[in-house]
C-alpha cells in the first residue's frame, strides 16, 4: 500500500527539481501551472498519499499566488487527488479501492460502447497508426521508461474510441485522467504487467483489423479488468471486485446475446500471482 507520510517526511526538493517540465509550461496561466505541477507530483507519488500541506506551502512551492492556487486545488479535488482540510490545508488523497473499482467499471462499460461505435469507422491510416503506437510502447518496456511509454499508450486508447462522439470521448479522457495513479501503480508494481499489457493491446488491435467491433469491445473490457484486478491483487488481495466483474459480464453478454456466463464458461479473470513485483 502506498506510504502515508507526514509533511515533515516529504522530500520538498522533489517538487522544485521535477515539476517544472523543463520550462515547457512557462506560457500557461498561473492556475494551469499550479494544477499541472501538483498533479504531476501526486500521480508520480513525489507527494505521497496522506500528506497534508497548507496553501501557503503550496504557493511557495509552485510559485503562484493564492487565488490561482485555490482554483488549481479545486480542479485536483474534482479528480479525487486531494481533499480539503481545515485551516486552509489540503491532504493528498489515499489510494481508494472503492474509487479504483468504480473507475474501471465505468471505463469498461463506456469504452466498450465507444469502441463498438469506432471500429466500423476506422480508416486504413488510423489502423496503421494504432499499430505504430503498439510499436512505440513495445520499445519502452521497463518501469523506468513509464513517462515516455504513457504518451503512445494514452494516444492508443483514445484512438480506439475516436469516432464515438465528442461528449463520450471527453468523458473517457476524464476517466483516464482520474485513473492515472492506479494505472501507473499497476504498470510499475504488478507482476508481469508489461508482458500482459502488450498481449492484450495486440489482441485489441487484431480485433480492430478484423473489423469486429464486438470482439474489440470484449478484449478492451478484459484488458481493463486485468488492470483493475492486477492492482487489487497487490493492494487488497482479499477484496471482491463485484463492480468490475459485473461490468465485464455485461460486455460479454452484449456480444453473445446473453448466452455466456463468466462463472460457468471459463471466463473468470485469472488471479495475478504475487511471486514477482517487477513487471
Amino acid at each position: 500500500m502506498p506510504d502515508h507520510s507526514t509533511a515533515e517526511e516529504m522530500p520538498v526538493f522533489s517538487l522544485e527539481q521535477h515539476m517544472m517540465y523543463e520550462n515547457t509550461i512557462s506560457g500557461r496561466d498561473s492556475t494551469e501551472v499550479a494544477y499541472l505541477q501538483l498533479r504531476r507530483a501526486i500521480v508520480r507519488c513525489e507527494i505521497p498519499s496522506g500528506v497534508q500541506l497548507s496553501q501557503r506551502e503550496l504557493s511557495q512551492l509552485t510559485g503562484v499566488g493564492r487565488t490561482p492556487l485555490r482554483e488549481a486545488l479545486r480542479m485536483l479535488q474534482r479528480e479525487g487527488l486531494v481533499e480539503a482540510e481545515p485551516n486552509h490545508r489540503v491532504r493528498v488523497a489515499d489510494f481508494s479501492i472503492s474509487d479504483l473499482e468504480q473507475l474501471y467499471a465505468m471505463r469498461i462499460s463506456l469504452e466498450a460502447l465507444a469502441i463498438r461505435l469506432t471500429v466500423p469507422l476506422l480508416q486504413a491510416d488510423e489502423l496503421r497508426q494504432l499499430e505504430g503506437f503498439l510499436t512505440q510502447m513495445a520499445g519502452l518496456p521497463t518501469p523506468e521508461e513509464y513517462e515516455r511509454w504513457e504518451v503512445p499508450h494514452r494516444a492508443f486508447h483514445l484512438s480506439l474510441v475516436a469516432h464515438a462522439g465528442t461528449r463520450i470521448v471527453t468523458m473517457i479522457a476524464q476517466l483516464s485522467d482520474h485513473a492515472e495513479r492506479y494505472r501507473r501503480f499497476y504498470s510499475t508494481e504488478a507482476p508481469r504487467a508489461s508482458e500482459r499489457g502488450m498481449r492484450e493491446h495486440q489482441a485489441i488491435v487484431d480485433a480492430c483489423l478484423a473489423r469486429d467491433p464486438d470482439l474489440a469491445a470484449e478484449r478492451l473490457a478484459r484488458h481493463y479488468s486485468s488492470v483493475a484486478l492486477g492492482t487489487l491483487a497487490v493492494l487488497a488481495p482479499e477484496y471482491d471486485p463485484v463492480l468490475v466483474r459485473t461490468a465485464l459480464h455485461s460486455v460479454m453478454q452484449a456480444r453473445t446475446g446473453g448466452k455466456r456466463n463468466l462463472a460457468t464458461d471459463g471466463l473468470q479473470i485469472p488471479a495475478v500471482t504475487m511471486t514477482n513485483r517487477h513487471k
Side-chain angles (χ1 to χ4, degrees), residues 4-273:
H4 297 171
S5 306
T6 63
E8 288 74 18
E9 295 169 336
M10 188 190 76
V12 174
F13 66 87
S14 66
L15 283 173
E16 297 169 348
Q17 290 183 342
H18 300 303
M19 290 199 313
M20 293 308 295
Y21 296 86
E22 291 72 40
N23 297 322
T24 59
I25 59 174
S26 57
R28 303 179 189 271
D29 64 46
S30 296
T31 295
E32 193 171 5
V33 167
Y35 166 74
L36 290 173
Q37 288 180 354
L38 292 172
R39 188 181 190 281
R40 178 178 170 90
I42 291 168
V43 299
R44 294 181 67 176
C45 297
E46 291 171 358
I47 306 179
S49 60
V51 163
Q52 290 189 15
L53 291 168
S54 69
Q55 290 186 19
R56 180 182 57 80
E57 291 170 315
L58 291 174
S59 179
Q60 291 174 345
L61 289 169
T62 59
V64 304
R66 298 287 186 90
T67 299
L69 176 66
R70 282 194 290 270
E71 180 56 33
L73 291 174
R74 280 193 286 269
M75 294 164 67
L76 293 169
Q77 258 187 288
R78 287 195 290 270
E79 287 193 43
L81 292 176
V82 301
E83 300 166 352
E85 295 283 330
N87 301 319
H88 303 289
R89 300 179 70 84
V90 295
R91 179 177 178 274
V92 177
D94 293 323
F95 275 38
S96 165
I97 300 306
S98 175
D99 182 52
L100 163 66
E101 187 182 20
Q102 290 179 59
L103 275 172
Y104 275 91
M106 292 172 68
R107 296 190 74 191
I108 288 168
S109 300
L110 184 57
E111 293 191 43
L113 167 64
I115 198 172
R116 282 193 176 102
L117 296 171
T118 296
V119 167
L121 302 176
L122 288 172
Q123 302 298 309
D125 61 328
E126 293 174 304
L127 291 168
R128 286 193 295 271
Q129 191 173 49
L130 280 172
E131 294 179 302
F133 292 142
L134 270 186
T135 300
Q136 292 176 49
M137 286 188 281
L140 301 165
T142 66
E144 293 74 23
E145 295 170 306
Y146 178 86
E147 295 294 332
R148 295 171 59 202
W149 173 88
E150 175 64 7
V151 175
H153 176 254
R154 182 177 178 83
F156 173 84
H157 277 280
L158 289 176
S159 296
L160 294 173
V161 300
H163 297 291
T166 301
R167 186 177 291 274
I168 291 175
V169 173
T170 298
M171 177 61 70
I172 286 170
Q174 289 173 349
L175 292 173
S176 177
D177 285 345
H178 295 180
E180 185 171 346
R181 251 198 325 175
Y182 304 116
R183 181 167 62 246
R184 175 186 290 271
F185 182 87
Y186 172 78
S187 298
T188 59
E189 298 293 333
R192 294 181 291 280
S194 179
E195 294 89 338
R196 179 189 291 270
M198 283 306 300
R199 289 195 304 269
E200 292 169 349
H201 289 140
Q202 183 64 63
I204 295 167
V205 170
D206 290 344
C208 293
L209 292 170
R211 300 292 185 175
D212 189 333
D214 290 334
L215 181 60
E218 177 186 316
R219 290 179 174 177
L220 181 61
R222 285 177 173 273
H223 170 55
Y224 284 149
S225 297
S226 292
V227 175
L229 298 184
T231 304
L232 289 170
V234 177
L235 295 177
E238 303 304 317
Y239 185 82
D240 182 17
V242 174
L243 291 181
V244 170
R245 295 185 186 279
T246 301
L248 177 59
H249 192 184
S250 297
V251 174
M252 300 292 296
Q253 285 189 315
R255 182 182 176 221
T256 61
K259 296 179 181 179
R260 291 165 70 179
N261 184 283
L262 287 176
T264 61
D265 199 27
L267 296 175
Q268 297 96 331
I269 299 298
V272 179
T273 61

